[in-house]
mmCIF file of all heavy atoms in Angstrom:
data_model
loop_
_atom_site.group_PDB
_atom_site.id
_atom_site.type_symbol
_atom_site.label_atom_id
_atom_site.label_comp_id
_atom_site.label_asym_id
_atom_site.label_seq_id
_atom_site.Cartn_x
_atom_site.Cartn_y
_atom_site.Cartn_z
ATOM 1 N N THR L 179 82.025 80.038 112.484
ATOM 2 C CA THR L 179 81.387 80.994 113.374
ATOM 3 C C THR L 179 81.756 82.395 112.913
ATOM 4 O O THR L 179 82.944 82.703 112.728
ATOM 5 C CB THR L 179 81.837 80.788 114.830
ATOM 6 O OG1 THR L 179 81.561 79.449 115.226
ATOM 7 C CG2 THR L 179 81.106 81.741 115.754
ATOM 8 N N PHE L 180 80.761 83.226 112.717
ATOM 9 C CA PHE L 180 80.959 84.616 112.312
ATOM 10 C C PHE L 180 80.484 85.509 113.455
ATOM 11 O O PHE L 180 79.362 85.353 113.947
ATOM 12 C CB PHE L 180 80.193 84.932 111.037
ATOM 13 C CG PHE L 180 80.600 84.084 109.861
ATOM 14 C CD1 PHE L 180 79.911 82.915 109.566
ATOM 15 C CD2 PHE L 180 81.678 84.440 109.075
ATOM 16 C CE1 PHE L 180 80.279 82.120 108.495
ATOM 17 C CE2 PHE L 180 82.054 83.652 107.999
ATOM 18 C CZ PHE L 180 81.355 82.487 107.706
ATOM 19 N N THR L 181 81.344 86.433 113.863
ATOM 20 C CA THR L 181 81.028 87.309 114.992
ATOM 21 C C THR L 181 81.194 88.763 114.580
ATOM 22 O O THR L 181 82.302 89.315 114.657
ATOM 23 C CB THR L 181 81.927 86.994 116.194
ATOM 24 O OG1 THR L 181 81.865 85.603 116.491
ATOM 25 C CG2 THR L 181 81.493 87.788 117.421
ATOM 26 N N PRO L 182 80.143 89.405 114.124
ATOM 27 C CA PRO L 182 80.222 90.839 113.884
ATOM 28 C C PRO L 182 80.227 91.595 115.209
ATOM 29 O O PRO L 182 79.457 91.288 116.120
ATOM 30 C CB PRO L 182 78.963 91.139 113.061
ATOM 31 C CG PRO L 182 78.024 90.026 113.396
ATOM 32 C CD PRO L 182 78.845 88.828 113.729
ATOM 33 N N THR L 183 81.114 92.561 115.324
ATOM 34 C CA THR L 183 81.257 93.355 116.545
ATOM 35 C C THR L 183 81.264 94.830 116.181
ATOM 36 O O THR L 183 81.924 95.235 115.213
ATOM 37 C CB THR L 183 82.552 93.004 117.289
ATOM 38 O OG1 THR L 183 82.554 91.614 117.621
ATOM 39 C CG2 THR L 183 82.687 93.813 118.575
ATOM 40 N N TRP L 184 80.542 95.601 116.958
ATOM 41 C CA TRP L 184 80.532 97.056 116.759
ATOM 42 C C TRP L 184 81.246 97.720 117.934
ATOM 43 O O TRP L 184 80.879 97.523 119.092
ATOM 44 C CB TRP L 184 79.118 97.596 116.649
ATOM 45 C CG TRP L 184 79.087 99.107 116.606
ATOM 46 C CD1 TRP L 184 78.820 99.961 117.616
ATOM 47 C CD2 TRP L 184 79.374 99.909 115.457
ATOM 48 N NE1 TRP L 184 78.919 101.257 117.188
ATOM 49 C CE2 TRP L 184 79.259 101.262 115.858
ATOM 50 C CE3 TRP L 184 79.718 99.631 114.133
ATOM 51 C CZ2 TRP L 184 79.468 102.321 114.988
ATOM 52 C CZ3 TRP L 184 79.923 100.684 113.263
ATOM 53 C CH2 TRP L 184 79.791 102.008 113.690
ATOM 54 N N TYR L 185 82.322 98.495 117.618
ATOM 55 C CA TYR L 185 83.028 99.293 118.616
ATOM 56 C C TYR L 185 82.625 100.748 118.425
ATOM 57 O O TYR L 185 82.701 101.285 117.298
ATOM 58 C CB TYR L 185 84.546 99.171 118.454
ATOM 59 C CG TYR L 185 85.087 97.788 118.699
ATOM 60 C CD1 TYR L 185 85.354 96.923 117.644
ATOM 61 C CD2 TYR L 185 85.345 97.344 119.988
ATOM 62 C CE1 TYR L 185 85.868 95.656 117.866
ATOM 63 C CE2 TYR L 185 85.862 96.077 120.222
ATOM 64 C CZ TYR L 185 86.119 95.241 119.152
ATOM 65 O OH TYR L 185 86.619 93.989 119.371
ATOM 66 N N SER L 186 82.219 101.392 119.493
ATOM 67 C CA SER L 186 81.737 102.774 119.359
ATOM 68 C C SER L 186 82.838 103.721 118.905
ATOM 69 O O SER L 186 82.546 104.753 118.298
ATOM 70 C CB SER L 186 81.156 103.251 120.698
ATOM 71 O OG SER L 186 82.142 103.237 121.720
ATOM 72 N N ARG L 187 84.114 103.402 119.142
ATOM 73 C CA ARG L 187 85.215 104.291 118.758
ATOM 74 C C ARG L 187 85.959 103.824 117.511
ATOM 75 O O ARG L 187 86.808 104.546 117.003
ATOM 76 C CB ARG L 187 86.207 104.427 119.911
ATOM 77 C CG ARG L 187 85.613 105.117 121.132
ATOM 78 C CD ARG L 187 86.685 105.400 122.165
ATOM 79 N NE ARG L 187 86.144 106.099 123.317
ATOM 80 C CZ ARG L 187 86.850 106.485 124.368
ATOM 81 N NH1 ARG L 187 88.152 106.226 124.401
ATOM 82 N NH2 ARG L 187 86.284 107.103 125.382
ATOM 83 N N ARG L 188 85.669 102.607 117.038
ATOM 84 C CA ARG L 188 86.423 102.095 115.899
ATOM 85 C C ARG L 188 85.548 101.658 114.732
ATOM 86 O O ARG L 188 86.022 101.590 113.612
ATOM 87 C CB ARG L 188 87.311 100.922 116.334
ATOM 88 C CG ARG L 188 88.368 101.323 117.356
ATOM 89 C CD ARG L 188 89.398 100.238 117.549
ATOM 90 N NE ARG L 188 90.395 100.615 118.541
ATOM 91 C CZ ARG L 188 91.489 101.327 118.272
ATOM 92 N NH1 ARG L 188 91.727 101.719 117.033
ATOM 93 N NH2 ARG L 188 92.344 101.636 119.223
ATOM 94 N N GLY L 189 84.309 101.332 114.984
ATOM 95 C CA GLY L 189 83.438 100.896 113.912
ATOM 96 C C GLY L 189 83.205 99.403 113.935
ATOM 97 O O GLY L 189 83.348 98.738 114.965
ATOM 98 N N ALA L 190 82.873 98.846 112.765
ATOM 99 C CA ALA L 190 82.471 97.440 112.664
ATOM 100 C C ALA L 190 83.674 96.550 112.399
ATOM 101 O O ALA L 190 84.554 96.882 111.599
ATOM 102 C CB ALA L 190 81.445 97.274 111.557
ATOM 103 N N ARG L 191 83.679 95.408 113.064
ATOM 104 C CA ARG L 191 84.719 94.398 112.872
ATOM 105 C C ARG L 191 84.042 93.039 112.708
ATOM 106 O O ARG L 191 83.045 92.756 113.375
ATOM 107 C CB ARG L 191 85.665 94.388 114.071
ATOM 108 C CG ARG L 191 86.582 93.173 114.153
ATOM 109 C CD ARG L 191 87.495 93.266 115.355
ATOM 110 N NE ARG L 191 87.948 91.964 115.815
ATOM 111 C CZ ARG L 191 88.766 91.766 116.846
ATOM 112 N NH1 ARG L 191 89.216 92.798 117.519
ATOM 113 N NH2 ARG L 191 89.109 90.541 117.198
ATOM 114 N N LEU L 192 84.586 92.203 111.851
ATOM 115 C CA LEU L 192 84.052 90.860 111.634
ATOM 116 C C LEU L 192 85.116 89.844 111.984
ATOM 117 O O LEU L 192 86.196 89.819 111.394
ATOM 118 C CB LEU L 192 83.613 90.669 110.183
ATOM 119 C CG LEU L 192 83.087 89.264 109.840
ATOM 120 C CD1 LEU L 192 81.841 88.935 110.655
ATOM 121 C CD2 LEU L 192 82.810 89.132 108.340
ATOM 122 N N ASP L 193 84.804 88.980 112.953
ATOM 123 C CA ASP L 193 85.667 87.857 113.314
ATOM 124 C C ASP L 193 85.035 86.582 112.780
ATOM 125 O O ASP L 193 83.832 86.357 112.951
ATOM 126 C CB ASP L 193 85.818 87.751 114.825
ATOM 127 C CG ASP L 193 86.508 88.963 115.430
ATOM 128 O OD1 ASP L 193 87.159 89.697 114.680
ATOM 129 O OD2 ASP L 193 86.385 89.172 116.655
ATOM 130 N N SER L 194 85.835 85.749 112.170
ATOM 131 C CA SER L 194 85.323 84.481 111.640
ATOM 132 C C SER L 194 86.299 83.368 111.961
ATOM 133 O O SER L 194 87.513 83.580 112.012
ATOM 134 C CB SER L 194 85.104 84.569 110.128
ATOM 135 O OG SER L 194 86.319 84.865 109.461
ATOM 136 N N GLU L 195 85.751 82.195 112.177
ATOM 137 C CA GLU L 195 86.566 81.009 112.418
ATOM 138 C C GLU L 195 85.957 79.837 111.667
ATOM 139 O O GLU L 195 84.790 79.503 111.864
ATOM 140 C CB GLU L 195 86.655 80.677 113.903
ATOM 141 C CG GLU L 195 87.514 79.440 114.179
ATOM 142 C CD GLU L 195 87.560 79.062 115.638
ATOM 143 O OE1 GLU L 195 86.732 79.583 116.415
ATOM 144 O OE2 GLU L 195 88.411 78.238 116.009
ATOM 145 N N PHE L 196 86.751 79.228 110.811
ATOM 146 C CA PHE L 196 86.348 78.050 110.054
ATOM 147 C C PHE L 196 87.111 76.853 110.609
ATOM 148 O O PHE L 196 88.342 76.890 110.734
ATOM 149 C CB PHE L 196 86.657 78.240 108.566
ATOM 150 C CG PHE L 196 86.480 76.996 107.748
ATOM 151 C CD1 PHE L 196 85.218 76.508 107.464
ATOM 152 C CD2 PHE L 196 87.580 76.312 107.263
ATOM 153 C CE1 PHE L 196 85.050 75.352 106.716
ATOM 154 C CE2 PHE L 196 87.437 75.163 106.504
ATOM 155 C CZ PHE L 196 86.160 74.688 106.232
ATOM 156 N N ARG L 197 86.394 75.790 110.965
ATOM 157 C CA ARG L 197 87.006 74.588 111.527
ATOM 158 C C ARG L 197 86.671 73.387 110.649
ATOM 159 O O ARG L 197 85.578 73.325 110.081
ATOM 160 C CB ARG L 197 86.524 74.338 112.953
ATOM 161 C CG ARG L 197 86.771 75.486 113.912
ATOM 162 C CD ARG L 197 86.363 75.125 115.323
ATOM 163 N NE ARG L 197 84.969 74.757 115.424
ATOM 164 C CZ ARG L 197 84.397 74.305 116.538
ATOM 165 N NH1 ARG L 197 85.120 74.140 117.618
ATOM 166 N NH2 ARG L 197 83.114 73.999 116.563
ATOM 167 N N PHE L 198 87.599 72.458 110.587
ATOM 168 C CA PHE L 198 87.366 71.292 109.751
ATOM 169 C C PHE L 198 87.982 70.054 110.390
ATOM 170 O O PHE L 198 88.969 70.113 111.116
ATOM 171 C CB PHE L 198 87.942 71.496 108.344
ATOM 172 C CG PHE L 198 89.425 71.788 108.311
ATOM 173 C CD1 PHE L 198 90.356 70.760 108.236
ATOM 174 C CD2 PHE L 198 89.880 73.094 108.346
ATOM 175 C CE1 PHE L 198 91.708 71.029 108.196
ATOM 176 C CE2 PHE L 198 91.247 73.376 108.316
ATOM 177 C CZ PHE L 198 92.159 72.338 108.244
ATOM 178 N N LEU L 199 87.329 68.938 110.126
ATOM 179 C CA LEU L 199 87.812 67.605 110.488
ATOM 180 C C LEU L 199 87.798 66.754 109.228
ATOM 181 O O LEU L 199 86.852 66.817 108.450
ATOM 182 C CB LEU L 199 86.902 66.955 111.537
ATOM 183 C CG LEU L 199 86.823 67.586 112.921
ATOM 184 C CD1 LEU L 199 85.661 66.974 113.691
ATOM 185 C CD2 LEU L 199 88.106 67.373 113.678
ATOM 186 N N ASN L 200 88.842 65.980 109.031
ATOM 187 C CA ASN L 200 88.855 65.068 107.894
ATOM 188 C C ASN L 200 89.561 63.787 108.297
ATOM 189 O O ASN L 200 89.947 63.609 109.453
ATOM 190 C CB ASN L 200 89.513 65.724 106.672
ATOM 191 C CG ASN L 200 90.897 66.280 106.982
ATOM 192 O OD1 ASN L 200 91.690 65.625 107.651
ATOM 193 N ND2 ASN L 200 91.197 67.475 106.502
ATOM 194 N N ALA L 201 89.725 62.901 107.331
ATOM 195 C CA ALA L 201 90.319 61.606 107.634
ATOM 196 C C ALA L 201 91.763 61.731 108.096
ATOM 197 O O ALA L 201 92.278 60.850 108.786
ATOM 198 C CB ALA L 201 90.241 60.707 106.400
ATOM 199 N N LEU L 202 92.431 62.833 107.743
ATOM 200 C CA LEU L 202 93.829 63.004 108.102
ATOM 201 C C LEU L 202 94.027 63.722 109.430
ATOM 202 O O LEU L 202 94.994 63.474 110.134
ATOM 203 C CB LEU L 202 94.555 63.777 106.995
ATOM 204 C CG LEU L 202 94.607 63.098 105.628
ATOM 205 C CD1 LEU L 202 95.334 63.994 104.637
ATOM 206 C CD2 LEU L 202 95.284 61.736 105.713
ATOM 207 N N GLY L 203 93.128 64.652 109.768
ATOM 208 C CA GLY L 203 93.340 65.421 110.991
ATOM 209 C C GLY L 203 92.326 66.531 111.132
ATOM 210 O O GLY L 203 91.164 66.411 110.720
ATOM 211 N N GLN L 204 92.766 67.642 111.706
ATOM 212 C CA GLN L 204 91.875 68.755 111.967
ATOM 213 C C GLN L 204 92.648 70.058 111.882
ATOM 214 O O GLN L 204 93.876 70.088 111.951
ATOM 215 C CB GLN L 204 91.248 68.622 113.357
ATOM 216 C CG GLN L 204 92.256 68.633 114.497
ATOM 217 C CD GLN L 204 91.606 68.381 115.846
ATOM 218 O OE1 GLN L 204 90.471 67.945 115.933
ATOM 219 N NE2 GLN L 204 92.332 68.664 116.909
ATOM 220 N N GLY L 205 91.911 71.152 111.737
ATOM 221 C CA GLY L 205 92.540 72.455 111.642
ATOM 222 C C GLY L 205 91.519 73.558 111.731
ATOM 223 O O GLY L 205 90.307 73.324 111.846
ATOM 224 N N SER L 206 92.004 74.789 111.670
ATOM 225 C CA SER L 206 91.117 75.951 111.754
ATOM 226 C C SER L 206 91.761 77.135 111.061
ATOM 227 O O SER L 206 92.994 77.221 110.937
ATOM 228 C CB SER L 206 90.808 76.299 113.220
ATOM 229 O OG SER L 206 91.978 76.744 113.885
ATOM 230 N N LEU L 207 90.894 78.049 110.619
ATOM 231 C CA LEU L 207 91.323 79.309 110.017
ATOM 232 C C LEU L 207 90.536 80.430 110.669
ATOM 233 O O LEU L 207 89.303 80.430 110.635
ATOM 234 C CB LEU L 207 91.092 79.306 108.501
ATOM 235 C CG LEU L 207 91.349 80.644 107.789
ATOM 236 C CD1 LEU L 207 92.818 81.043 107.908
ATOM 237 C CD2 LEU L 207 90.921 80.568 106.324
ATOM 238 N N GLN L 208 91.236 81.382 111.281
ATOM 239 C CA GLN L 208 90.609 82.539 111.904
ATOM 240 C C GLN L 208 90.971 83.782 111.116
ATOM 241 O O GLN L 208 92.136 83.981 110.761
ATOM 242 C CB GLN L 208 91.064 82.698 113.352
ATOM 243 C CG GLN L 208 90.743 81.531 114.248
ATOM 244 C CD GLN L 208 91.244 81.750 115.665
ATOM 245 O OE1 GLN L 208 91.059 82.819 116.254
ATOM 246 N NE2 GLN L 208 91.883 80.737 116.226
ATOM 247 N N ALA L 209 89.973 84.604 110.871
ATOM 248 C CA ALA L 209 90.179 85.869 110.170
ATOM 249 C C ALA L 209 89.419 86.955 110.909
ATOM 250 O O ALA L 209 88.200 86.868 111.065
ATOM 251 C CB ALA L 209 89.704 85.775 108.721
ATOM 252 N N ASN L 210 90.139 87.955 111.386
ATOM 253 C CA ASN L 210 89.548 89.092 112.077
ATOM 254 C C ASN L 210 89.837 90.342 111.256
ATOM 255 O O ASN L 210 91.005 90.690 111.045
ATOM 256 C CB ASN L 210 90.135 89.236 113.490
ATOM 257 C CG ASN L 210 90.072 87.942 114.275
ATOM 258 O OD1 ASN L 210 89.093 87.213 114.190
ATOM 259 N ND2 ASN L 210 91.119 87.639 115.026
ATOM 260 N N ILE L 211 88.776 90.997 110.806
ATOM 261 C CA ILE L 211 88.936 92.111 109.868
ATOM 262 C C ILE L 211 88.178 93.327 110.380
ATOM 263 O O ILE L 211 86.989 93.238 110.723
ATOM 264 C CB ILE L 211 88.440 91.730 108.457
ATOM 265 C CG1 ILE L 211 89.221 90.521 107.934
ATOM 266 C CG2 ILE L 211 88.576 92.903 107.508
ATOM 267 C CD1 ILE L 211 88.719 90.005 106.607
ATOM 268 N N LEU L 212 88.870 94.447 110.448
ATOM 269 C CA LEU L 212 88.270 95.752 110.745
ATOM 270 C C LEU L 212 88.410 96.585 109.472
ATOM 271 O O LEU L 212 89.470 97.166 109.215
ATOM 272 C CB LEU L 212 88.996 96.409 111.921
ATOM 273 C CG LEU L 212 88.400 97.688 112.508
ATOM 274 C CD1 LEU L 212 87.044 97.412 113.139
ATOM 275 C CD2 LEU L 212 89.343 98.291 113.542
ATOM 276 N N PRO L 213 87.379 96.634 108.617
ATOM 277 C CA PRO L 213 87.531 97.257 107.293
ATOM 278 C C PRO L 213 87.975 98.711 107.337
ATOM 279 O O PRO L 213 88.753 99.159 106.493
ATOM 280 C CB PRO L 213 86.126 97.126 106.682
ATOM 281 C CG PRO L 213 85.484 96.010 107.430
ATOM 282 C CD PRO L 213 86.037 96.083 108.813
ATOM 283 N N HIS L 214 87.474 99.459 108.328
ATOM 284 C CA HIS L 214 87.855 100.876 108.419
ATOM 285 C C HIS L 214 87.868 101.277 109.890
ATOM 286 O O HIS L 214 86.816 101.453 110.506
ATOM 287 C CB HIS L 214 86.877 101.749 107.633
ATOM 288 C CG HIS L 214 87.220 103.221 107.708
ATOM 289 N ND1 HIS L 214 88.226 103.781 106.965
ATOM 290 C CD2 HIS L 214 86.678 104.231 108.453
ATOM 291 C CE1 HIS L 214 88.293 105.076 107.234
ATOM 292 N NE2 HIS L 214 87.364 105.373 108.137
ATOM 293 N N ASP L 215 89.065 101.383 110.440
ATOM 294 C CA ASP L 215 89.209 101.816 111.827
ATOM 295 C C ASP L 215 88.967 103.319 111.889
ATOM 296 O O ASP L 215 89.701 104.112 111.280
ATOM 297 C CB ASP L 215 90.616 101.471 112.329
ATOM 298 C CG ASP L 215 90.771 101.678 113.820
ATOM 299 O OD1 ASP L 215 90.026 102.501 114.399
ATOM 300 O OD2 ASP L 215 91.636 101.023 114.425
ATOM 301 N N GLN L 216 87.939 103.709 112.623
ATOM 302 C CA GLN L 216 87.586 105.122 112.693
ATOM 303 C C GLN L 216 88.644 105.956 113.398
ATOM 304 O O GLN L 216 88.696 107.177 113.204
ATOM 305 C CB GLN L 216 86.244 105.279 113.409
ATOM 306 C CG GLN L 216 85.075 104.650 112.669
ATOM 307 C CD GLN L 216 83.777 104.741 113.437
ATOM 308 O OE1 GLN L 216 83.734 105.223 114.574
ATOM 309 N NE2 GLN L 216 82.694 104.285 112.826
#
């Protein structure tokens, strides 16, 4: 899931979450990035 967000005082931020299921188990990776905080 990718969630681009625009903050009027900070600029653009991208939140992403990758989820996986396999034969062994499950997990997730979340990355929230604000490339340039205004």
Side-chain angles (χ1 to χ4, degrees):
T179 303
F180 300 94
T181 307
T183 301
W184 173 260
Y185 296 98
S186 61
R187 295 188 178 181
R188 297 192 181 274
R191 166 179 155 179
L192 178 62
D193 296 342
S194 60
E195 180 183 14
F196 171 73
R197 303 184 301 175
F198 58 89
L199 295 168
N200 53 44
L202 297 179
Q204 61 185 14
S206 66
L207 173 64
Q208 300 179 46
N210 309 321
I211 301 175
L212 188 65
H214 179 78
D215 189 335
Q216 296 176 356

